């Protein structure tokens, strides 16, 4: 591997990150808050960035360099993005946790009293999520090829499943388009939230974390703080949009709306959301004593929030009945659509695995029949199915290991089970200790490191990070 | 489908079952207990059996008939085997639950005060498990071909994964050999338990349920009732043996012992048992305050009991720390080896899925490399891997549905999660309400029906039962 190139690109990334920190610095200035955290962070980040940029190497970009840049790039962003938190009195490990949670658009928090932190720090926390979301749908197919990395391979590492459906022939064009879609929808959400009566600060921070399927909020009560069904409805709509494929949104917006409902993944995603919301509505109405409308209001918000891996809450769902929680636990293992900002296993993978199962059942009755797995009317190549299977196997293995380690460290069963999926799936909150109104602060240091790794691995579609830990990667 | 043939074979099965009930009748006579339950059961079972045997049809045996015989055969055995329980004052649904739990070698119970039932009833309960275990390793490859059913197809439906390794060219021969191995090892266990000081009744009932990986015991305290480390060691050994491939045992006993440790599945099984036991020992020692030896004694017994899907207990593991329970929960999702009497997903499937995952990770680094998945030095055909993947997908889907339904019916999260796998994996006990010293009695009727279906589906390797519910199966 040509590590000089990797360091050079990371340098560019850090310089960019350092410059972006001018925005929260401006927010701090506007609210008359301390400028020191951001000044120091900008100084360090840009300094390291410029130092790394001196490695102007000219070698070739191959697969390994690509993986290293993506994997370590995300890690570096999390480390340097944590500086303002650390300057704000948060311990280094907690700061890294919060920063990784932000850049991976997870939304798990170690903050105990969120409102006690300055508005600029909370703004930065939300802005990092938006940047992370932008990174997810854009970085791999735009910035990296621009720097010379083989774009297709990166896209392969990042885009989950069989969505390598060419939107425009040139990959940089595609990236720009997706970025535009992301930005345009973000602006529409800000406007909608402003019209619903939110302050500019609230509208922009919540748009940041909605569009990224992130889930951070400057309020400890999350979206419940607004006590407004209208705001909830708006956020539900935009979470749902952010959890769907952005390439599909482009087509729906600029070509033909019909594309959306012709897409197998989007249909399955919609059907799952509706079915889970309906069931949850009934359960809340039956078990929690809320009237049908309120039950529906809570149910659809929470289902969309969890399946898109956003992680907002309008109610402390940790206090719900176990049957209601079971619905949320189930959708935690699905996640958003491919090409969205959502995390998790992804809808398309679940859908293709189910079709795989159905095909084999057919084969039991017709041993000699040959039947392909279809997606959007086309046969899915075996290698794509194999890749999905392995992804899920490795995903569940990491999930299991993390759950076992957390429980060995003393977390109760439900907290271990949900904290692992909440971080690996980039969701945010779980149940019990790590519930929506809880915090990850009390988890022991080793546990926090595991969860940081979960967020990193889960966000980069598992393989991208895992290969960095194989001896093969480091062999010449 | 030629339903006359199916009914004819079911008739033969019931006549055989009715005649076998003479054994518990003799036990009842010996202990001076009421003969009525068994007399009535024998009468009804044989009568229905003889009635069905009048359907002497001569049509051809095809795939559908085979599936119907296997699926409905197990169901019929459970229904008629339940008659003695129903005669003993147990409600019909509970009796069916208990009987299905017995014939599928599950070991979940609805009995509240086990010792309050007569010795003959408890004997029958254990004997049914041994018959179920015999059925699992023999019925499909011996009785059915004898009756003319295409043996290979049945073997395919039953034998999990890629174990279709020809032991002897003719399938009836193979079946006889396996039955001998099962019987011989059973006799050795009876002798060992007698030498360890158990009564003949205790030795034989516990051998029945050890060898079948069943887990029923005539005592509410299960194996803890004996308070004997020696008995526990003997039972641990025989559970471990019963959870391994009987074809492998034949080879090890009659050909060469080396075969055992050359087998990838057996090695992985052994390694898993050792690793889980070691970890559990440390956790019990740390969390429960038991000394190292006692911790090890509890740990290895419980790990072997759960991974082999036997379900005995020497301690109320429901009272263990959550970290210790997490180890048991993990092994619940593995199960025994292919060709054993154990249930669950099966070791070989887990092993091949892990190898599948490893291969894909390799492919990420070497996109053009071609690498086969190996098992015992041979390449595993793609169709076997596909079949395993679909099995696991359908298995987990059924698991999930069952868990959701149980929690909707009001069971707490942990009970729902563990009751589903305990029945689908044919293990027996779970945690909380359905813990090892608990009972399934309090579960609502619909929940019991779901769990009965789980046991049936799980025992017959999923496909065999599921196809019976496809419209295609009933089409002409």
């Amino acid at each position: 591997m040509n590590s000089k190139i990797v360091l050079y690109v990371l340098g560019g990334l850090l310089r960019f990150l350092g410059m972006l920190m001018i925005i929260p610095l401006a927010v701090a200035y506007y609210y008359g808050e301390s400028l020191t955290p951001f000044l120091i962070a900008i100084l360090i980040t840009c300094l390291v960035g410029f130092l790394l940029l001196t490695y102007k190497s000219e070698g070739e970009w191959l697969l390994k360099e690509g993986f290293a840049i993506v994997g370590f790039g995300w890690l570096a962003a999390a480390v340097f993005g944590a500086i303002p938190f650390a300057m704000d009195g948060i311990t280094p490990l907690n700061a890294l946790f919060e920063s990784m949670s932000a850049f991976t658009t997870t939304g798990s928090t170690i903050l105990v009293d969120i409102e006690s932190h300055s508005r600029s720090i909370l703004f930065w926390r939300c802005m990092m999520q938006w940047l992370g979301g932008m990174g997810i749908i854009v970085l791999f197919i735009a910035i990296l090829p621009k720097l010379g990395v083989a774009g297709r391979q990166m896209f392969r590492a990042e885009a989950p499943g069989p969505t390598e459906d060419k939107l425009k022939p040139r990959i940089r064009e595609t990236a720009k388009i997706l970025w535009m879609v992301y930005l345009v929808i973000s602006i529409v959400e800000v406007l909608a939230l402003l019209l619903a009566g939110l302050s500019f600060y609230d509208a922009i921070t919540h748009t940041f974390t909605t569009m990224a399927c992130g889930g951070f909020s400057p309020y400890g009560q999350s979206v419940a703080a607004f006590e407004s069904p209208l705001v909830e409805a708006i956020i539900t709509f935009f979470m749902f949009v952010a959890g769907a494929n952005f390439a599909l949104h482009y087509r729906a917006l600029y070509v033909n709306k019909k594309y959306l409902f012709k897409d197998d993944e989007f249909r399955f995603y919609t059907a799952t959301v509706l079915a889970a919301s309906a069931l949850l509505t009934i359960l809340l109405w039956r078990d929690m004593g809320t009237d049908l409308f309120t039950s529906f209001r809570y149910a659809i918000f929470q289902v969309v929030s969890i399946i898109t891996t956003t992680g907002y809450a309008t109610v402390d769902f940790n206090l719900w009945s176990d049957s209601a929680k079971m619905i949320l636990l189930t959708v935690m293992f699905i996640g958003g659509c491919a090409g969205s900002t959502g995390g998790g296993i992804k809808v398309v993978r679940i859908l293709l695995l189910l079709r795989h199962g159905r095909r084999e059942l057919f084969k039991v009755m017709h041993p000699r029949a040959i039947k392909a797995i279809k997606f959007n009317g086309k046969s899915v190549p075996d290698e794509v199915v194999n890749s999905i299977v392995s992804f899920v196997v490795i995903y569940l293995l990491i999930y299991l290991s993390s759950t076992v380690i957390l429980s060995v460290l003393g977390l109760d069963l439900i907290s271990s089970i949900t904290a692992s999926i909440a971080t690996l799936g980039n969701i945010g909150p779980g149940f019990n200790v790590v519930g929506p109104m809880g915090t990850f602060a009390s988890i022991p240091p080793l546990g926090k490191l595991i969860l940081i790794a979960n967020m990193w691995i889960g966000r980069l579609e598992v393989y991208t990070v895992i290969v960095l830990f194989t001896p093969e990667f480091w062999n010449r």
Side-chain angles (χ1 to χ4, degrees), chain A residues 275-289:
Chain A
S277 302
L279 185 52
L280 186 53
T281 301
I282 295 167
L283 291 173
L284 290 179
W285 174 68
R286 185 193 74 173
D287 299 341
M288 307 305 292

Side-chain angles (χ1 to χ4, degrees), chain A residues 392-454:
Chain A
V392 174
V393 168
I394 299 176
Y395 194 90
L396 293 180
L397 191 66
I398 295 170
Y399 170 71
L400 179 69
S401 314
S402 150
T403 307
V404 169
I405 295 173
L406 288 181
S407 76
V408 166
L409 291 175
L411 246 72
D412 69 280
L413 220 51
I414 296 286
S415 298
S416 305
I417 286 173
T418 58
S420 294
I421 191 65
T423 49
L424 189 63
N426 301 117
I427 298 162
F431 301 151
N432 278 12
V433 179
V434 296
M437 307 299 158
T439 161
F440 286 70
S442 65
I443 291 174
L446 179 59
K448 279 180 189 158
L449 280 173
I450 299 284
L451 296 177
I452 290 171
N454 277 354

Side-chain angles (χ1 to χ4, degrees), chain A residues 63 67 140-141 150-161 164 171 349 383 387 461 463-464:
Chain A
L63 206 54
F67 281 118
F140 293 51
I141 43 172
R152 306 299 297 167
Q153 286 152 336
M154 283 305 91
F155 194 48
R156 174 167 171 264
E158 168 53 19
E164 231 178 310
I171 215 157
R349 290 204 179 94
E383 64 179 278
S387 160
E461 298 289 326
Y463 292 133
T464 323

